[in-house]
């Protein structure tokens, strides 16, 4: 894009494109089927989970996509727990203090926590876990952006860790609650980045350990019998109810849906629109209905591409989309976007008046900007065609029918769109190099700061607002700034929103998930299965 900082920001988005890793919503997700937390928990058994877009890496700090994060959340604990209603509760830290301008965070740690290799959790271990991410630099781009402008980490004693920042970072407490910043054992923290990505290399203090890695096929988690430090809101304050979690990387959504129906799977991430609709009316399957409380879903614009560097073109593209038609193709449970933030983000404000359809105005804007229809109907100017590419990861494949609707609507105004999935490595390369027009974008963080990961470094005025969000600890004032940030993004059409994505986490009613984080990740230490 125009500046390296912008390319880096979009690159951090690559692992967030789960349509999406990350959010405040009701605990049962508005499910039609019976509640997931009724009855008496059953100890033992194996939960079989399908994750879409699987990789060989089980490193939580690089696994920012929702579906892959679901089981890995059971491997690492965090300093604090972010509840579904937006509060923060004790976890590895029993208490914490934040100074008036959010430049200093002090955490008091529990004294009885160990990692699965026997190492003790103390202030030095927490410091080393964070330092490993800082040392990894761009390889941990998302983690380091969430950490922010860190000055130093102090350890006054074995059970106190203090984070000091060069500039205010009002979003750090939320970041510290995330799986991405989950604490790993010193043995893992000392590993080079490449070795951390191998199968069973991640050692955490969570209720499960990675006991088997099957490469691209998946892996197995086994419970820790000595675990007794879950987040404060957890019903189960001891070892996990489940004996094992078997993670299968099934790439085909239809096959995965059939497995869920037959009982071959207990829980799955990602499914086709038709299956989402069917699951929503099933008596045997629960599907969560709450949008991920991060950013809305749509196209992040590369303003460094010819044509997209013109506001008139970007605005025309947004105006040309009939989102009702796109939603009609999506599923019965997805919801229209009403801001750059998802509606369930606690910092969302309805800006629907900025997301409208006006095809006549779209054509007028393109005409006025000098873009004229060519022989094949695609508009051109000075030898440049309005032909664009959309890139995304394999986890977005289920959205391709919806993207095709946008493709057809743009074709009607003389704009060509091509799209297709890339491997994660290919996607990262394309995003870093700027060789794309649009990135399939969302974000999975329940904080006003979520948009900075996608749009930071793009617009000086917008960057000032992002800096203001980080510097403002007052929630009401942060929300006003969030409105301003979303307004700039929509007015300038840096983002072309489509809908608030309902994260398709579907599970049989024999699968019980009593507790969800604000990120909509289920706390699997409380999970249990009632099937025989």
């Amino acid at each position: 894009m125009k500046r390296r900082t912008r390319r880096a920001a979009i690159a951090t988005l690559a692992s967030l494109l789960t349509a999406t890793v990350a959010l405040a919503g009701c605990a049962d997700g508005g499910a039609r089927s019976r509640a997931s937390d009724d009855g008496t928990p059953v100890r033992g058994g194996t939960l079989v989970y399908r994750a879409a877009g699987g990789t060989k890496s089980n490193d939580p700090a690089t696994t920012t996509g929702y579906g892959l994060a679901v089981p890995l959340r059971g491997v690492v604990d965090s300093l604090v727990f972010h509840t579904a209603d937006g509060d923060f509760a004790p976890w590895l830290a029993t208490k914490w203090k934040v100074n008036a301008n959010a430049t200093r965070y002090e955490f008091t740690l529990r004294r009885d926590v160990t990692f699965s290799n026997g190492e003790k959790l103390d202030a030095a271990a927490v410091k080393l876990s964070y330092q490993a991410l800082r040392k990894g630099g761009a390889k941990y781009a998302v983690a380091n952006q969430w950490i922010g402008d860190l000055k130093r980490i102090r350890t006054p004693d074995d059970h106190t860790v203090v984070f000091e920042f060069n500039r205010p970072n009002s979003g750090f407490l939320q970041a510290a609650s995330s799986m991405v910043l989950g604490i790993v054992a010193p043995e893992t923290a000392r590993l080079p980045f490449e070795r951390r990505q191998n199968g069973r290399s991640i050692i955490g203090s969570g209720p499960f350990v990675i006991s088997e890695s099957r490469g691209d096929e998946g892996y197995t988690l086994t419970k820790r019998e000595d675990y007794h430090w879950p987040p404060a809101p957890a019903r189960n304050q001891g070892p996990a109810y489940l004996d094992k979690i078997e993670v299968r990387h099934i790439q085909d959504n239809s096959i995965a849906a059939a497995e869920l129906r037959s009982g071959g799977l207990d829980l799955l991430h990602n499914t086709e629109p038709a299956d989402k609709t069917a699951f929503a009316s099933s008596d045997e399957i629960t599907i969560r209905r709450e949008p991920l409380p991060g950013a809305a879903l749509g196209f992040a614009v590369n303003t460094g591409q010819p044509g997209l560097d013109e506001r008139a073109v970007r605005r025309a593209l947004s105006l040309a989309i009939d989102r009702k038609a796109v939603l009609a193709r999506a599923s019965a449970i997805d919801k229209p976007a009403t801001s750059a933030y998802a509606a369930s983000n606690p910092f969302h404000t309805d800006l629907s008046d900025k997301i409208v359809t006006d095809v006549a105005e779209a054509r007028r804007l393109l005409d006025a900007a000098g873009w004229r229809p060519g022989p094949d109907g695609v508009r051109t100017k000075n030898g440049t065609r309005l032909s664009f590419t959309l890139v995304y990861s394999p986890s977005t494949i289920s959205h391709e029918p919806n993207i095709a609707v946008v493709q057809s609507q743009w074709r009607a105004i003389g704009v060509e769109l091509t799209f297709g999935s890339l491997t994660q490595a290919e996607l990262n390369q394309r995003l870093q190099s700027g060789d794309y027009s649009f990135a399939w974008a969302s974000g999975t963080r329940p904080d006003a700061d979520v948009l900075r990961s996608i749009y930071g470094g793009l617009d000086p005025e917008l960057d000032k607002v992002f800096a203001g969000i980080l510097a403002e600890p007052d929630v009401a004032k942060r929300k006003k700034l969030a409105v301003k940030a979303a307004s700039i993004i929509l007015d300038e059409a840096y983002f072309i929103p489509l809908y608030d994505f309902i994260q398709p986490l579907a599970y049989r009613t024999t699968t019980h998930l009593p507790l969800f984080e604000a990120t909509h990740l289920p706390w699997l230490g409380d999970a249990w299965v009632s099937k025989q």
Side-chain angles (χ1 to χ4, degrees):
M1 291 196 169
K2 289 184 177 179
R3 291 183 285 168
R4 178 66 184 174
T5 53
R6 173 57 177 158
R7 286 185 183 172
I10 284 291
T12 67
L13 181 63
S15 56
L16 294 174
L17 303 184
T18 59
T20 88
V21 21
L23 296 130
C26 62
D28 67 2
R32 177 186 183 277
S33 307
R34 74 172 185 259
S36 63
D37 59 347
D38 61 351
T40 302
V42 174
R43 293 191 177 274
T46 299
L47 182 144
V48 184
Y49 171 72
R50 179 271 184 142
T55 68
K56 293 180 180 179
S57 174
N58 291 324
D59 188 348
T62 60
T63 309
T64 50
Y66 178 87
L68 300 177
V70 169
L72 287 178
R73 185 25 134 182
V75 177
V76 292
D77 299 326
S78 296
L79 291 173
V80 295
F81 186 85
H82 196 184
T83 68
D85 59 9
D87 291 333
F88 291 94
W91 197 348
L92 294 180
T94 59
K95 58 183 179 180
W96 52 91
K97 294 187 293 186
V98 185
N99 68 351
N101 67 348
T103 58
R104 185 181 185 275
Y105 290 74
E106 178 181 314
F107 296 90
T108 301
L109 304 177
R110 291 184 63 137
R111 297 169 179 259
D112 57 347
V113 178
T114 60
F115 297 100
S116 60
N117 64 349
E119 292 183 295
K120 189 172 182 179
L121 179 124
D122 56 15
V126 172
K127 179 178 180 177
L128 188 61
S129 185
Y130 272 81
Q131 285 179 328
L133 300 179
R134 304 300 279 179
K135 184 178 179 180
K139 294 176 181 178
Y140 291 119
V142 172
N144 280 309
Q145 185 173 58
W146 291 4
I147 292 172
D149 190 4
L150 183 64
K151 180 179 181 180
R152 62 178 177 172
I153 304 174
R154 295 194 300 107
T155 54
D157 58 57
D158 287 348
H159 306 292
T160 305
V161 59
V162 179
F163 296 82
E164 296 178 351
F165 296 88
N166 291 309
R167 291 179 292 181
N169 186 357
S170 62
F172 181 68
L173 190 62
Q174 190 283 320
S177 75
S178 70
M179 188 198 75
V180 173
L181 300 187
I183 308 302
V184 297
E187 180 179 339
T188 296
R190 293 189 182 101
L191 292 176
F193 174 84
E194 291 73 18
R195 287 189 60 191
R196 275 185 65 156
Q197 309 314 301
N198 296 332
R200 298 172 57 191
S201 61
I202 299 300
I203 300 169
S205 63
F208 294 94
V209 298
I210 303 173
S211 58
E212 178 190 12
S213 176
R214 301 185 299 279
D216 291 335
E217 295 181 1
Y219 57 94
T220 300
L221 301 179
T222 302
K223 80 171 180 179
R224 287 187 63 180
E225 296 290 353
D226 61 344
Y227 187 82
H228 60 273
W229 46 83
R235 168 189 291 181
N236 177 21
Q237 290 292 309
Y241 293 135
L242 295 165
D243 287 335
K244 292 183 179 182
I245 299 172
E246 181 183 333
V247 181
R248 298 179 183 174
H249 292 157
I250 303 172
Q251 299 305 319
D252 189 286
N253 288 329
S254 298
I255 291 175
E259 282 284 291
L260 185 68
R261 288 190 181 93
S262 69
L265 291 174
D266 301 301
L267 176 66
L268 70 77
H269 163 252
N270 215 1
T271 189
E272 299 296 329
D275 289 319
K276 284 194 288 184
T277 302
F279 291 162
S281 60
S282 171
D283 290 325
E284 296 182 347
I285 294 171
T286 295
I287 186 165
R288 291 179 59 79
R289 296 172 181 265
E290 285 296 308
L292 288 181
L297 186 65
F299 299 174
V301 181
N302 181 351
T303 58
Q305 290 285 304
L308 297 179
D309 56 351
E310 300 180 32
R311 180 179 183 275
V313 173
R314 300 194 303 267
R315 286 291 302 146
L317 293 175
S318 185
L319 289 167
I321 296 176
D322 179 352
R323 291 168 178 82
K324 290 183 178 180
V326 175
L327 279 169
R329 183 61 186 83
S331 81
I333 64 174
D334 292 303
K335 300 178 181 180
T338 55
S339 173
Y341 292 101
S344 52
N345 190 311
F347 293 92
H348 168 273
T349 295
D350 193 325
L351 299 175
S352 300
D353 59 332
K354 297 180 182 294
I355 307 173
V356 297
T357 303
D358 191 335
V359 178
E361 175 64 7
R363 290 195 176 100
R364 188 197 69 77
L365 286 171
L366 294 176
D367 289 340
W371 293 93
R372 306 297 182 189
D376 61 354
V378 177
R379 292 176 182 261
T380 64
K381 183 170 74 171
N382 300 327
T384 299
R385 301 170 79 245
L386 280 186
S387 179
F388 302 124
T389 58
L390 168 68
V391 296
Y392 45 83
S393 68
S395 64
T396 300
I397 289 175
S398 64
H399 294 266
E400 288 179 343
N402 316 330
I403 297 169
V405 176
V406 176
Q407 180 187 52
S408 177
Q409 292 172 350
W410 283 0
R411 182 73 188 189
I413 64 167
V415 178
E416 182 178 63
L417 175 67
T418 59
F419 57 88
S421 68
L422 304 172
T423 66
Q424 195 64 56
E426 292 170 335
L427 180 63
N428 289 342
Q429 191 279 326
R430 291 280 292 274
L431 293 173
Q432 287 279 10
S433 68
D435 182 18
Y436 70 100
S437 307
F438 303 102
W440 186 248
S442 181
T444 53
R445 190 180 176 197
D447 192 80
D449 192 41
V450 65
L451 299 180
R452 185 171 59 96
S453 297
I454 312 172
Y455 307 105
L458 176 62
D459 180 308
E461 181 183 359
L462 186 57
D463 284 344
K464 289 181 181 179
V465 179
F466 287 149
I469 288 172
L470 287 175
E472 181 53 70
D474 182 82
V475 172
K477 293 178 180 178
R478 290 186 90 212
K479 189 164 186 176
K480 289 182 179 179
L481 290 168
V483 172
K484 188 172 182 179
S487 296
I488 293 172
I489 290 168
L490 296 175
D491 287 341
E492 295 297 322
Y494 295 138
F495 171 59
I496 299 175
L498 295 180
Y499 43 89
D500 285 354
F501 183 51
I502 307 299
Q503 185 60 51
L505 188 67
Y507 44 100
R508 299 189 62 79
T509 51
T510 49
T511 299
H512 303 262
L513 305 173
L515 180 64
F516 283 82
E517 297 181 54
T519 55
H520 287 196
L521 289 175
W523 167 243
L524 295 179
D526 263 356
W528 53 283
V529 290
S530 56
K531 66 181 182 180
Q532 298 298 317

